[in-house]
């Protein structure tokens, strides 16, 4: 499979590396200075129309404000297009191309382990979209409203989740644990928790940990009293509702 990737920034570079891990041939078209970064990472960089020739799929990973210019330059190209841009709706993309999709992944595509929301089925090239994006994680076909609602947890997710990880590490360091050990302990604990969440719902998991009268319930009630978890749900939920309006 061959892919043309437009944009080699924070997300684009992760997409390119993830696709390469999976054996997909990637050609890049991007602006300076990221063209040099792509070459340094071993990708071939060419002008946009040349990039779009003879490939199975085009991935547009440019800032939302640059999408209209890129889509105009791709006008008339028959290859299906997937846009990763937040905020640029499918209706807007369809003004420029027939076979076009919105995709919402996260930078964890770099390790081939991202949820990938795709809107919407029936865009004229579903199987090639599934085949390429399926190399980067797990594909979920959804309507656009769901893609937007999920953006704060999927697209922004790694940054948000990493802040919890960081807080756990700081807590250990504050208690006198060496930072390298603290990082390892927090990471292993989170990996184990994710595996348990495949078996148990969060309420059940919490009840397995909370010893009556013990320290877990004491700490969690304190965090709840301070509104920590409610605040996360409120802010991410409000953003999802705003985006999916
Ligand atoms: N960074 C992330 O974790 C995620 C980003 N997104 C979306 O992906 C898109 C890219 O985001 P980032 O990589 O963070 O942005 P970025 O600013 O790091 O990278 C943008 C890239 O697009 C290139 N570019 C800009 N205008 C161009 C043009 N006219 N022609 C060709 N290339 C052009 C830039 O040179 C750069 O390589 C955005 O629309 C964003 O909403 C979606 C999900 C996650
Ligand atoms: O922060 C942003 O706007 C983009 C979309 C999701 C992740 N990064």
């Amino acid at each position: 499979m061959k892919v043309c990737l437009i944009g080699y920034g924070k997300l684009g570079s992760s997409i390119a590396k993830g696709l390469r891990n999976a054996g997909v041939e990637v050609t890049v078209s991007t602006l300076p200075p990221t063209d040099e970064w792509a070459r340094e990472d071993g990708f071939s960089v060419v002008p946009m129309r040349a990039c779009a020739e003879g490939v199975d799929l085009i991935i547009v990973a440019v800032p939302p404000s640059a999408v209209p210019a890129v889509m105009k330059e791709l006008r008339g190209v028959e290859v299906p297009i997937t846009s990763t841009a937040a905020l640029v709706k499918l209706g807007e993309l369809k003004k420029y191309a027939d076979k076009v999709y919105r995709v919402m992944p996260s930078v964890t595509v770099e390790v081939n382990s991202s949820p990938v929301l795709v809107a919407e089925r029936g865009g004229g090239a579903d199987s090639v979209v599934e085949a390429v994006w399926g190399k980067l994680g797990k594909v979920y076909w959804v309507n656009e409203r769901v893609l937007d609602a999920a953006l704060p947890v999927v697209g922004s997710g790694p940054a948000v989740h990493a802040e919890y990880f960081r807080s756990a590490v700081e807590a250990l360091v504050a208690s006198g644990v060496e930072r390298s050990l603290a990082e390892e302990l927090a990471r292993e604990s989170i990996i184990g928790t994710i595996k348990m969440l495949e078996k148990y719902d969060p309420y059940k998991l919490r009840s397995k940990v909370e010893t009556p009268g013990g320290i877990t319930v004491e700490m969690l009630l304190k965090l709840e009293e301070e509104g920590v978890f409610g605040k996360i749900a409120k802010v991410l939920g409000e953003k999802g509702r705003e985006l999916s309006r």
Side-chain angles (χ1 to χ4, degrees):
M1 263 183 308
K2 288 188 188 172
V3 166
C4 160
L5 172 68
I6 300 172
Y8 197 82
K10 294 178 285 293
L11 180 63
S13 57
S14 289
I15 292 171
K17 290 169 192 168
L19 287 175
R20 181 166 60 191
N21 294 340
V24 177
E25 199 182 310
V26 181
T27 308
V28 174
S29 182
T30 190
L31 297 183
T34 60
D35 54 345
E36 264 321 301
W37 304 347
R39 286 193 191 93
E40 279 163 18
D41 289 340
F43 295 99
S44 121
V45 181
V46 299
M48 204 180 299
R49 295 295 292 204
C51 179
E53 249 170 54
V55 294
D56 300 293
L57 187 72
I58 297 170
I59 296 176
V60 177
V62 302
S65 59
V67 170
V70 167
M71 293 301 288
K72 267 183 207 148
E73 201 163 337
L74 291 174
R75 251 198 181 127
V77 169
E78 299 274 311
V79 180
I81 299 174
T82 50
S83 165
T84 66
L87 312 174
V88 184
K89 301 279 186 189
L90 210 42
E92 175 67 17
L93 297 169
K94 286 194 167 159
K95 289 182 191 161
Y96 303 98
D98 294 333
K99 292 182 197 162
V100 66
Y101 297 80
R102 278 187 73 196
V103 175
M104 189 47 58
S106 81
V107 290
T108 59
V109 288
E110 183 165 334
V111 290
N112 306 87
S113 188
S114 172
V116 179
L117 295 155
V118 187
E120 298 180 345
R121 232 189 240 291
D126 297 1
S127 49
V128 68
V129 171
E130 174 103 37
V132 171
W133 282 98
K135 304 268 185 210
L136 296 168
K138 189 164 176 187
V139 171
Y140 298 87
W141 289 93
V142 293
N143 65 42
E144 184 173 37
R145 211 193 62 73
V146 175
L147 182 147
D148 283 320
L151 208 155
V153 173
V154 173
S156 308
V160 178
H161 309 322
E163 283 303 308
Y164 169 74
F165 172 79
R166 213 177 54 79
S167 309
V169 170
E170 294 306 335
L172 287 167
V173 173
S175 321
V177 179
E178 284 301 328
R179 185 168 291 276
S180 59
L181 179 59
E183 286 175 358
E184 201 164 314
L185 295 178
R187 190 162 42 240
E188 289 302 316
S189 174
I190 291 170
I191 290 170
T193 305
I194 295 294
K195 288 185 182 157
M196 285 292 269
L197 284 170
E198 283 166 15
K199 272 186 90 174
Y200 301 102
D201 69 59
Y203 179 77
K204 179 75 189 157
L205 185 53
R206 177 167 170 172
S207 71
K208 277 171 80 68
V209 183
E210 284 184 343
T211 302
I215 56 166
T216 310
V217 67
E218 182 193 328
M219 290 187 304
L220 285 175
L221 288 179
K222 198 162 190 183
L223 285 168
E224 280 165 1
E225 194 182 308
E226 291 181 17
V228 175
F229 304 121
K231 198 62 160 253
I232 295 172
K234 183 169 186 282
V235 171
L236 271 57
E238 276 173 4
K239 182 49 76 180
R241 274 202 301 283
E242 176 195 319
L243 293 171
S244 60
R245 233 177 254 138

